[in-house]
Amino acid sequence: MEKMSRVTTALGGSTLTGRTMHCHLDAPANAISVCRDAAQVVVAGRSIFKIYAIEDEQFVEKLNLRVGRKPSLNLSCADVVWHQMDENLLATAATNGVVVTWNLGRPSRNKQDQLFTEHKRTVNKVCFHPTEAHVLLSGSQDGFMKCFDLRRKDSVSTFSGQSESVRDVQFSIRDYFTFASTFENGNVQLWDIRRPDRCERMFTAHNGPVFCCDWHPEDRGWLATGGRDKMVKVWDMTTHRAKEVHCVQTIASVARVKWRPECRHHLATCSMMVDHNIYVWDVRRPFVPAAMFEEHRDVTTGIAWRHPHDPSFLLSGSKDSTLCQHLFRDASQPVERANPEGLCYGLFGDLAFAAKESLVATESGRKPYAGDRRHPIFFKRKLDPAEPFVGLASSALSVFEIEPGSGSMSWFVDTAERYALAGRPLAELCDHNAKVARDLGRNQVAQTWTMLRIIYCSPGLASATSLNHSVGKGSSCGLPLMNSFNLKDMAPGLGSETRLDRSKGDTRSDTVLLDSSATLITNEDNEETEGSDVPADYLLGDVEGEEDELYLLDPEHAHPEDPEYVLPQEAFPLRHEIVDTPPGPEHLQDKADSPHVSGSEADAASLAPVDSSFSLLSVSHALHDTRLPPDFFSALVCDMLRFYAEQGDVQMAVSVLIVLGERVRKDIDEQTQEHWYTSYIDLLQRFCLWNVSNQVVKLSTSRAISCLNQASTTLHVNCSHCKRPMSSRGWVCDRCHRCASMCAVCHHVVKGLFVWCQGCSHGGHLQHIMKWLEGSSHCPAGCGHLCEYS
Amino acid sequence: MAEGENEVRWDGLCSRDSTTRETALENIKQTVLRKTEYLRSVKETPLRPSDGLSNAVSLDGLNKLLAHLLMLSKRCPFKDVREKSEFILKSVQELGIRIPRPLGHGPSRFIPEKEILQVGSEDTQMHTLFADSFAALGRLDNITLVMVFHPQYLESFLKTQHYLLQMDGPLPLHYRHYIGIMAAARHQCSYLVNLHVNDFLHVGGDPKWLNGLENAPQKLQNLGELNKVLAHRPWLITKEHIEGLLKAEEHSWSLAELVHAVVLLTHYHSLASFTFGCGISPEIHCDGGHTFRPPSVSNYCICDITNGNHSVDEMQVNSAGNVSVSDSFFEVEALMEKMRQLQECRDEEEASQEEMASRFEIEKRESMFVFSSDDEEVTPARDVSRHFEDTSYGYKDFSRHGMHVPTFRVQDYCWEDHGYSLVNRLYPDVGQLIDEKFHIAYNLTYNTMAMHKDVDTSMLRRAIWNYIHCMFGIRYDDYDYGEINQLLDRSFKVYIKTVVCTPEKVTKRMYDSFWRQFKHSEKVHVNLLLIEARMQAELLYALRAITRYMT
């Protein structure tokens, strides 16, 4: 900020110096314009009209043009322009419709030169001819543009925009005779200064008023326009019809637009409402501005590049009564704050991830083990040195391929189709769903269903004690048995569920643990029938050895200290009630690091520190827990649902929610429920499971969800004869008074379900057509088409 | 009889499908006849004291039904419904029950019924408009029937109103109607209040709120102040008002909600102006729109009395009008001559800047003294006044009372550049709709003036528009306010001022005494200009305050 900048310009080696600075004006500015020598700027507004010299460190007021006893409306400026050939000549447009010229060379205090009072309404814009010394153009609210020769007292010619207000006029920099004008109704017109009778060309550029336009300083055919519709468009006028070459979407209506000197694709914009910043855009990157100046506290009303060949100095005036000089170097660059990463799923479940190269490098360095399951294919963009943002454009793209089969979601579809959600007693629903889950090899889910059944409909109050034991037991015998199962034996369903997680380094150990816990349940299932005389439904393991009892405590004790254990353990909601004890962290670490190698040693190690000293505690605790009411578990069940939802298995969460209904609903807040429902419905619809999704919508109790069924239930039909929409009734056309939808089989009007062949557009009552198709595959209308119905 | 059976569902009638309408009508007929039978049987049996009350209640219910049927028989755009409802009424009458008949003389008290388009004789374009309006609201209100003089505007008006009240928006439906009630009540417009009370209850509003603003939620109560200032002295709105609403802890408004509310308030303030300015009669099915008394000779509407429009009065005006036909003929001629002169000499003599500035001041000052002579205080009807507080707060002339308020300059904050962008940002699509409506109202012309054709009326329309903004202290730098004095005569100014600032005081005499040779459709056109200019003025002040708050 404080450093001076020294820039050599194309103008005869002279240099511009300065820094980002601002000065306070006495009143809001409406427009600014720079003198040809780039050392002075004029500021005009309703009650201000001053010239400031731009010095290295500050603006210095040089001249106040607002003189006279009584401020007249002629001095209330809407626009100001400084002649680019003659540094003594200025012109202003007044809000009362007067065009005034000023000659700084006049010896008196009052520099006012000429007064043109030809416009009936506010003059919005004045513009000097870029090369001709005496030609001035004005555009007014009354719909007229006037060309003045300063050597004469009145206008030379008048151009009529057909009663629409003119917002901007600009002489073409390259074509001597051409100027462009923009209008309140969205049109842009091109005129030849010699032909005032009609415009050369007209086209609609924007929706709503076009506030401004600017010719490209080098490219003769390019015109940038900005409108109330928040867009900046760049038009190529050299072709027969004006062609839109670029379009930039801003966040507020565009009040001014100015091409940046020496940068072919850059332009600066400011807005007249809401947004106070000035943006410099690269028109080829229409989404993120290349630079942003945030100095102003109210809307910016005028912008000007300080010198026609110097791209680094921008001047601006604002309603907040300040005049600013912005240095491009000091601009904030939103691109830097943008997130240059992209993530996308392919059609077959492949995952593509693009990020800055540097980022990717550090990432992979940090997690060396993330590489084993990843099949990265690297693409590198060939860099085009001419392109902007070169530094940012270098990115790396990695693609993660899914192993064939593992990405299959068939378990999801099967589950969705086979689950029973309502219509039977709770116990039966749970059993049914558990069976479905087990059939699909999703044993953890199956187990959950079984437990839910036990919690909520224990028939003879099958004592909670035994329940507690049994769950514990399950895991206890599971852990030591870990070595007998290797991962290949895992059910395919489970494998696919977890595989995606594996590619993320962070969740890796979780995943592994989850696997193991899931495996141990598989194990239980196998084990549960043998050696136990307790009903298998709610006793998951056998109740024999005391030592086993001790083992089971281990995972619980482990969990509070080591975050990596949290996720998998929630899979066993009942564990929370058991008192925690500190774990042996180093063993856990071992385990996490060598997940595949195997369970047996790691497990043995981690279990070792737990000795019988804890057993008393746990046993007595369990004894206290007899006869718990189902309410007692609701918190746990909710945790469990959240766990499933977090894990991505929102199907489970929603299914349980529906099946349990009132029992848990009150414990989960509406929003979460809604969120689950919407995600599940979305998934179902992606898999075309319309019926299931509809059932879910119907069973949901949340209002926001159940109203989904009521939305967009209207079907619009066009008449098959006259092709007009049938507004009042679906089967008779108002226009041609014919029945549009006749059944091809029974020749009656179809008022209910109408099915038709998309090939020949004959059809009729659903039943009739179905019946017909049993006998023949030709169209019942006799048109000879071989109808196809999906 | 179970209460459920007596419930009549009217919504079936709004359907575009004639069979649906038919079944709905059939159901209504059954219910009505059942009720009638019941009443008759009660009448015949000797009266027991306990029956008296319930009898009265069910009679009341039946009468409401009959009134609604009467409305349908006159105002439904669908012919079958009109005929059938009339038939039902007839059959009820044959059973010996007294049926209602409409009071007043058509949709407007100022405009003779024969001038106004009859339902059933509209062309296809208007029919579509009517059908749309009926389908959306279940009625065809008198405002629509009067506005249909200018179908192009009506379409835009209905679209905007429908969007504001029924489509996506930040405010819940019952809030919207309640805000409408609040706004209309500021001008004691019982017509709009009645309409929206029904709608409010229909969308599930809490009837308790209707007992007064103090029964409504705090959030709406907070809006009361803005409503008051906006309706009468919009130039006093500051960003503190806005801040007060946006930062009220749990009762605070969001910006989007506030913009929605402001648009609704301004819409209903100006609609109240239209209601009074065109003398809209109460709806047939609402109180005061029908009577069960048999027609008698000396019969006039209650509303006419309160407004001092006795039928005698009307006669006088008419006779006066007949006498001065030649006078008023010259009136039009003179006006046109003035317009011509202004057009021609504008380029020749230019007033000095000081002159121009003072002309605005003069016009502003003079507008203060333009007021009708019969300035008696009308106490608002009981049921309307409870919707607003501080009845004494009314229009005070701009800058009459010491306090200096700076002139609002359109060149610094105008609808096209600033207001539109703000509204569209906070309440998408509405900016576009209102913008269209302003445009249509401002540019509407048939190039006619009274009996003359091919007249460019843009100068006259601009004078009216700018005169209204002038009354609100809004100045156009590029307008010569001397034109207003040339083009608008005193009686016209009185009318404009009354309609815009104190609409409840408009009388038929005022309506009749300006522009005597002009057609009613032209007077309605003037009203459209008035209400749109007023709405824009209020919006400009409110939006500027919001902008200032945001920066």
Side-chain angles (χ1 to χ4, degrees):
Chain A
M1 279 290 264
E2 300 306 314
K3 264 188 298 172
M4 302 276 266
S5 105
R6 195 161 285 270
V7 186
T8 323
T9 68
L11 194 82
S14 74
T15 55
L16 283 181
T17 55
R19 60 185 187 97
T20 298
M21 58 187 180
H22 64 88
C23 90
H24 187 77
L25 312 170
D26 311 322
N30 276 348
I32 62 168
S33 185
V34 192
C35 178
R36 166 175 85 142
D37 63 7
Q40 294 174 84
V41 59
V42 59
V43 183
R46 174 170 289 284
S47 48
I48 182 172
F49 189 22
K50 283 180 180 172
I51 291 177
Y52 284 86
I54 312 165
E55 298 189 353
D56 282 350
E57 290 291 330
Q58 61 191 357
F59 291 103
V60 176
E61 184 179 330
K62 228 184 128 197
L63 187 61
N64 187 358
L65 289 159
R66 212 177 149 80
V67 289
R69 285 163 292 114
K70 256 194 159 181
S72 130
L73 268 185
N74 290 347
L75 289 169
S76 160
C77 305
D79 191 31
V80 64
V81 64
W82 205 319
H83 203 299
Q84 289 307 301
M85 303 295 293
D86 180 353
E87 49 196 58
N88 279 331
L89 195 56
L90 287 110
T92 56
T95 50
N96 65 350
V98 178
V99 175
V100 193
T101 59
W102 308 79
N103 185 354
L104 300 181
R106 276 167 75 116
S108 71
R109 236 181 105 236
N110 190 352
K111 310 284 185 195
Q112 185 171 325
D113 195 21
Q114 264 181 301
L115 209 64
F116 301 100
T117 53
E118 292 186 30
H119 284 294
K120 297 190 189 88
R121 306 278 306 266
T122 299
V123 177
N124 287 317
K125 200 79 186 178
V126 281
C127 174
F128 277 115
H129 195 279
T131 50
E132 204 56 50
H134 302 285
V135 179
L136 175 67
L137 190 65
S138 66
S140 156
Q141 198 73 17
D142 62 12
F144 292 103
M145 294 143 277
K146 284 178 189 285
C147 182
F148 303 96
D149 186 326
L150 301 185
R151 291 162 294 194
R152 287 166 58 169
K153 279 223 157 10
D154 43 16
S155 62
V156 186
S157 42
T158 301
F159 311 86
S160 166
Q162 304 303 329
S163 83
E164 271 296 334
S165 305
V166 185
R167 297 309 296 245
D168 198 358
V169 284
Q170 291 290 339
F171 273 112
S172 166
I173 295 167
R174 299 275 154 161
D175 296 323
Y176 187 87
F177 295 111
T178 311
F179 72 89
S181 54
T182 70
F183 293 85
E184 205 143 84
N185 61 356
N187 285 345
V188 171
Q189 293 180 353
L190 233 58
W191 291 83
D192 186 315
I193 198 99
R194 296 161 297 184
R195 291 194 56 188
D197 52 333
R198 51 182 290 273
C199 65
E200 299 285 295
R201 187 190 278 188
M202 179 166 97
F203 60 95
T204 303
H206 290 265
N207 181 15
V210 190
F211 288 138
C212 52
C213 66
D214 196 31
W215 289 95
H216 198 281
E218 290 144 37
D219 234 315
R220 73 191 296 131
W222 276 20
L223 180 75
T225 59
R228 192 171 72 179
D229 57 0
K230 308 181 191 170
M231 298 220 247
V232 178
K233 292 181 180 173
V234 178
W235 303 88
D236 185 356
M237 313 290 269
T238 49
T239 47
H240 179 61
R241 286 188 58 188
K243 199 175 82 196
E244 185 185 321
V245 272
H246 293 291
C247 178
V248 175
Q249 180 86 46
T250 67
I251 57 166
S253 56
V254 182
R256 310 267 181 206
V257 55
K258 285 271 181 276
W259 287 101
R260 188 176 173 205
E262 312 281 296
C263 296
R264 193 159 181 274
H265 289 104
H266 281 205
L267 48 78
T269 66
C270 67
S271 159
M272 64 169 58
M273 270 305 282
V274 194
D275 185 17
H276 310 156
N277 300 337
I278 303 165
Y279 302 99
V280 177
W281 300 88
D282 184 302
V283 289
R284 295 163 301 176
R285 292 233 162 178
F287 306 108
V288 185
M292 184 160 94
F293 301 102
E294 299 164 299
E295 277 82 3
H296 288 298
R297 298 275 74 86
D298 201 339
V299 285
T300 310
T301 47
I303 48 175
W305 293 96
R306 189 168 153 192
H307 191 275
H309 294 288
D310 185 331
S312 48
F313 292 91
L314 179 70
L315 297 163
S316 69
S318 157
K319 277 250 186 324
D320 65 2
S321 308
T322 54
L323 173 66
C324 264
Q325 171 167 278
H326 312 275
L327 227 62
F328 203 77
R329 204 187 48 204
D330 294 336
S332 67
Q333 300 197 342
V335 188
E336 281 175 358
R337 279 179 268 156
N339 181 9
E341 285 152 359
L343 185 73
C344 187
Y345 269 111
L347 185 59
F348 302 106
D350 298 350
L351 181 71
F353 172 71
K356 265 202 245 180
E357 226 169 347
S358 51
L359 269 178
V360 175
T362 55
E363 199 92 335
S364 47
R366 207 173 61 220
K367 291 166 193 153
Y369 54 79
D372 59 342
R373 284 258 176 176
R374 195 166 89 162
H375 301 267
I377 307 165
F378 278 104
F379 297 101
K380 252 193 163 178
R381 251 180 85 184
K382 200 174 158 252
L383 294 181
D384 176 7
E387 265 206 51
F389 311 109
V390 173
L392 291 164
S394 66
S395 55
L397 176 73
S398 8
V399 175
F400 301 86
E401 276 182 339
I402 291 289
E403 282 171 82
S406 67
S408 143
M409 289 283 278
S410 61
W411 61 271
F412 178 88
V413 179
D414 281 351
T415 314
E417 276 171 347
R418 290 170 58 189
Y419 265 1
L421 297 177
R424 281 191 262 171
L426 179 63
E428 269 180 52
L429 288 176
C430 288
D431 281 345
H432 175 88
N433 292 344
K435 188 171 169 296
V436 169
R438 203 171 297 123
D439 287 352
L440 292 169
R442 305 177 66 214
N443 292 303
Q444 189 188 8
V445 173
Q447 213 60 34
T448 311
W449 281 114
T450 315
M451 285 191 288
L452 285 173
R453 185 203 130 108
I454 293 162
I455 294 171
Y456 286 100
C457 38
S458 46
L461 271 181
S463 67
T465 359
S466 55
L467 166 71
N468 222 348
H469 282 230
S470 59
V471 173
K473 190 62 48 92
S475 29
S476 69
C477 34
L479 280 173
L481 279 170
M482 185 68 177
N483 53 353
S484 68
F485 284 83
N486 74 40
L487 283 170
K488 283 192 187 109
D489 287 336
M490 242 165 53
L494 261 176
S496 63
E497 268 178 86
T498 51
R499 203 145 300 168
L500 257 183
D501 288 0
R502 284 161 181 273
S503 58
K504 297 187 209 156
D506 288 335
T507 51
R508 181 161 187 78
S509 50
D510 294 349
T511 315
V512 174
L513 242 179
L514 180 70
D515 287 351
S516 65
S517 54
T519 328
L520 63 87
I521 295 173
T522 327
N523 168 35
E524 283 157 23
D525 283 347
N526 299 341
E527 296 277 356
E528 67 189 353
T529 39
E530 37 177 272
S532 166
D533 44 0
V534 193
D537 269 349
Y538 47 91
L539 271 192
L540 314 173
D542 65 31
V543 231
E544 270 179 10
E546 275 277 323
E547 301 99 76
D548 285 347
E549 196 82 42
L550 299 178
Y551 284 109
L552 82 95
L553 291 174
D554 171 52
E556 289 96 53
H557 297 323
H559 105 249
E561 287 287 308
D562 193 331
E564 293 191 338
Y565 273 73
V566 173
L567 270 179
Q569 294 203 340
E570 276 173 8
F572 300 88
L574 296 177
R575 286 179 186 167
H576 288 277
E577 57 201 270
I578 300 171
V579 184
D580 307 316
T581 39
E586 68 280 8
H587 301 292
L588 295 170
Q589 202 53 51
D590 286 347
K591 192 179 171 189
D593 284 343
S594 57
H596 281 289
V597 187
S598 93
S600 68
E601 296 132 13
D603 283 341
S606 66
L607 290 172
V610 185
D611 62 35
S612 52
S613 61
F614 291 103
S615 69
L616 271 175
L617 180 64
S618 66
V619 170
S620 61
H621 188 78
L623 285 174
H624 278 292
D625 282 344
T626 50
R627 311 206 166 211
L628 288 165
D631 272 359
F632 179 83
F633 297 103
S634 58
L636 293 172
V637 173
C638 292
D639 279 348
M640 186 262 302
L641 291 186
R642 281 199 194 95
F643 162 72
Y644 275 113
E646 286 293 309
Q647 251 213 331
D649 189 2
V650 78
Q651 179 178 52
M652 184 65 185
V654 172
S655 305
V656 172
L657 202 60
I658 292 176
V659 167
L660 291 182
E662 288 306 327
R663 296 176 189 90
V664 286
R665 193 174 303 131
K666 56 187 184 302
D667 298 314
I668 301 172
D669 66 303
E670 276 282 310
Q671 215 143 23
T672 320
Q673 289 190 33
E674 226 177 277
H675 186 66
W676 291 351
Y677 273 118
T678 42
S679 338
Y680 187 39
I681 290 166
D682 185 49
L683 275 174
L684 287 173
Q685 291 180 345
R686 272 166 202 251
F687 285 100
C688 300
L689 296 163
W690 312 111
N691 291 340
V692 184
S693 116
N694 225 27
Q695 193 195 11
V696 170
V697 171
K698 221 158 123 189
L699 289 172
S700 80
T701 45
S702 144
R703 266 187 75 189
I705 299 301
S706 49
C707 73
L708 283 178
N709 262 353
Q710 261 94 66
S712 64
T713 49
T714 319
L715 191 69
H716 298 279
V717 218
N718 281 12
C719 170
S720 57
H721 300 294
C722 63
K723 309 283 184 282
R724 304 292 178 131
M726 296 199 283
S727 52
S728 57
R729 277 148 297 190
W731 52 87
V732 178
C733 177
D734 289 335
R735 200 168 280 272
C736 50
H737 303 289
R738 294 214 289 205
C739 291
S741 44
M742 303 280 273
C743 175
V745 180
C746 68
H747 298 286
H748 284 288
V749 177
V750 187
K751 292 191 179 180
L753 281 177
F754 184 79
V755 62
W756 67 93
C757 166
Q758 303 208 328
C760 64
S761 75
H762 290 116
H765 292 105
L766 182 60
Q767 275 88 5
H768 293 168
I769 294 291
M770 277 162 73
K771 218 172 194 172
W772 177 271
L773 287 176
E774 285 169 14
S776 160
S777 61
H778 284 274
C779 176
C783 69
H785 187 255
L786 280 166
C787 289
E788 281 179 72
Y789 294 90
S790 51
Chain B
M1 261 174 140
E3 195 50 47
E5 278 178 60
N6 292 342
E7 280 302 312
V8 178
R9 301 188 56 82
W10 301 102
D11 37 4
L13 295 179
C14 303
S15 164
R16 285 162 195 277
D17 172 22
S18 66
T19 41
T20 317
R21 293 201 298 263
E22 206 170 296
T23 36
L25 270 173
E26 194 54 40
N27 283 337
I28 292 167
K29 183 182 166 190
Q30 296 304 329
T31 319
V32 170
L33 291 183
R34 207 163 48 231
K35 283 196 166 192
T36 318
E37 282 303 326
Y38 171 72
L39 272 176
R40 257 158 52 104
S41 66
V42 167
K43 222 181 257 173
E44 276 157 18
T45 53
L47 193 78
R48 286 187 305 257
S50 61
D51 276 358
L53 190 66
S54 67
N55 202 2
V57 168
S58 58
L59 182 63
D60 194 42
L62 178 64
N63 282 349
K64 273 198 182 129
L65 275 182
L66 293 179
H68 203 120
L69 276 175
L70 177 69
M71 185 273 284
L72 287 177
S73 72
K74 301 279 178 200
R75 293 288 155 76
C76 183
F78 305 113
K79 193 163 172 234
D80 52 339
V81 177
R82 286 200 301 271
E83 281 165 0
K84 183 91 181 194
S85 342
E86 197 160 351
F87 172 73
I88 299 177
L89 281 174
K90 283 244 170 67
S91 40
V92 170
Q93 192 176 27
E94 276 158 17
L95 288 171
I97 299 288
R98 194 172 277 171
I99 61 160
R101 63 188 177 78
L103 259 181
H105 326 281
S108 161
R109 297 193 306 279
F110 295 171
I111 307 167
E113 198 168 5
K114 61 179 188 309
E115 295 269 340
I116 293 177
L117 183 85
Q118 292 293 306
V119 179
S121 59
E122 70 268 8
D123 60 22
T124 15
Q125 186 206 356
M126 292 179 187
H127 183 79
T128 334
L129 273 178
F130 281 173
D132 284 344
S133 168
F134 191 81
L137 294 166
R139 61 169 187 257
L140 205 56
D141 49 24
N142 289 337
I143 291 183
T144 310
L145 285 174
V146 173
M147 272 188 192
V148 85
F149 274 124
H150 307 282
Q152 193 197 357
Y153 173 83
L154 178 64
E155 188 179 359
S156 166
F157 173 85
L158 289 176
K159 208 160 76 183
T160 313
Q161 182 165 276
H162 181 240
Y163 197 95
L164 285 178
L165 290 176
Q166 277 148 326
M167 302 297 278
D168 295 342
L171 289 174
L173 292 182
H174 60 289
Y175 266 55
R176 304 181 193 190
H177 288 291
Y178 195 79
I179 290 171
I181 296 172
M182 284 169 69
R186 253 342 297 178
H187 285 305
Q188 301 151 34
C189 181
S190 50
Y191 170 82
L192 287 174
V193 170
N194 281 338
L195 273 188
H196 284 279
V197 162
N198 288 343
D199 291 344
F200 173 74
L201 295 174
H202 186 75
V203 295
D206 183 351
K208 258 187 251 144
W209 296 9
L210 295 175
N211 294 331
L213 192 56
E214 66 276 3
N215 298 309
Q218 185 63 39
K219 190 167 164 177
L220 282 170
Q221 289 183 36
N222 292 348
L223 196 64
E225 174 72 13
L226 184 70
N227 180 22
K228 187 173 80 176
V229 183
L230 203 53
H232 305 297
R233 300 168 208 174
W235 51 89
L236 294 181
I237 293 178
T238 57
K239 72 174 186 190
E240 282 72 30
H241 283 115
I242 306 298
E243 194 165 352
L245 287 169
L246 295 177
K247 292 192 175 154
E249 316 266 291
E250 77 266 38
H251 305 299
S252 44
W253 292 75
S254 74
L255 264 175
E257 285 173 335
L258 185 65
V259 167
H260 193 172
V262 161
V263 173
L264 278 171
L265 286 176
T266 53
H267 179 81
Y268 279 100
H269 289 152
S270 44
L271 201 53
S273 281
F274 184 84
T275 311
F276 286 110
C278 291
I280 301 293
S281 319
E283 292 295 331
I284 294 180
H285 64 288
C286 292
D287 288 346
H290 58 271
T291 179
F292 285 88
R293 279 181 304 163
S296 63
V297 190
S298 63
N299 176 263
Y300 41 80
C301 176
I302 305 168
C303 333
D304 282 345
I305 308 174
T306 49
N307 274 337
N309 297 326
H310 307 261
S311 40
V312 194
D313 193 21
E314 198 177 323
M315 301 268 279
Q316 279 170 348
V317 172
N318 281 347
S319 61
N322 286 335
V323 172
S324 60
V325 160
S326 51
D327 280 357
S328 53
F329 179 74
F330 290 124
E331 221 174 51
V332 183
E333 293 293 297
L335 184 56
M336 289 192 54
E337 183 55 34
K338 270 179 191 155
M339 281 169 64
R340 208 168 300 133
Q341 275 174 9
L342 279 173
Q343 195 83 50
E344 280 161 7
C345 66
R346 184 137 59 170
D347 304 325
E348 291 160 23
E349 50 107 23
E350 263 312 316
S352 73
Q353 288 311 307
E354 292 73 26
E355 172 97 27
M356 295 289 266
S358 67
R359 278 183 190 169
F360 174 73
E361 295 304 323
I362 290 170
E363 203 51 53
K364 209 166 72 180
R365 213 173 318 122
E366 272 186 355
S367 77
M368 292 174 203
F369 305 113
V370 174
F371 245 126
S372 52
S373 42
D374 45 341
D375 212 350
E376 85 267 25
E377 278 300 317
V378 192
T379 43
R382 197 75 218 120
D383 59 327
V384 178
S385 67
R386 66 178 177 217
H387 291 300
F388 65 97
E389 305 155 311
D390 197 2
T391 44
S392 60
Y393 195 93
Y395 177 83
K396 277 274 166 41
D397 284 302
F398 186 73
S399 76
R400 180 196 271 177
H401 295 277
M403 190 166 25
H404 180 70
V405 183
T407 303
F408 187 113
R409 301 201 181 244
V410 169
Q411 269 75 12
D412 291 345
Y413 197 101
C414 65
W415 165 257
E416 282 79 15
D417 296 2
H418 306 91
Y420 170 90
S421 300
L422 184 63
V423 172
N424 231 22
R425 186 185 182 89
L426 295 170
Y427 186 11
D429 298 344
V430 164
Q432 192 62 44
L433 288 172
I434 303 178
D435 192 45
E436 252 172 57
K437 191 156 67 93
F438 285 150
H439 255 271
I440 291 174
Y442 191 87
N443 293 326
L444 187 70
T445 182
Y446 306 99
N447 292 320
T448 56
M449 262 176 81
M451 49 296 219
H452 298 278
K453 289 200 171 104
D454 298 324
V455 191
D456 179 11
T457 56
S458 57
M459 185 183 277
L460 191 57
R461 284 180 281 129
R462 191 169 169 216
I464 297 171
W465 188 277
N466 287 359
Y467 180 61
I468 295 155
H469 279 189
C470 171
M471 285 189 297
F472 285 100
I474 298 177
R475 181 175 174 192
Y476 290 78
D477 279 346
D478 53 0
Y479 188 68
D480 174 9
Y481 284 84
E483 280 183 29
I484 290 178
N485 248 351
Q486 305 265 326
L487 297 177
L488 314 184
D489 60 11
R490 200 184 143 74
S491 57
F492 188 29
K493 280 185 179 171
V494 169
Y495 179 74
I496 293 180
K497 172 109 186 181
T498 320
V499 169
V500 171
C501 301
T502 50
E504 59 277 10
K505 291 182 185 155
V506 176
T507 62
K508 186 163 184 353
R509 197 186 299 137
M510 284 183 203
Y511 177 84
D512 287 329
S513 61
F514 83 94
W515 279 13
R516 272 170 286 185
Q517 278 300 301
F518 283 75
K519 297 189 206 91
H520 285 290
S521 74
E522 287 169 314
K523 293 194 173 186
V524 173
H525 184 178
V526 166
N527 268 289
L528 298 183
L529 272 176
L530 300 189
I531 64 171
E532 291 303 326
R534 175 179 183 190
M535 179 167 176
Q536 195 179 78
E538 285 185 17
L539 267 180
L540 281 177
Y541 276 111
L543 294 175
R544 186 177 65 163
I546 293 176
T547 309
R548 285 188 174 161
Y549 167 80
M550 287 168 72
T551 50

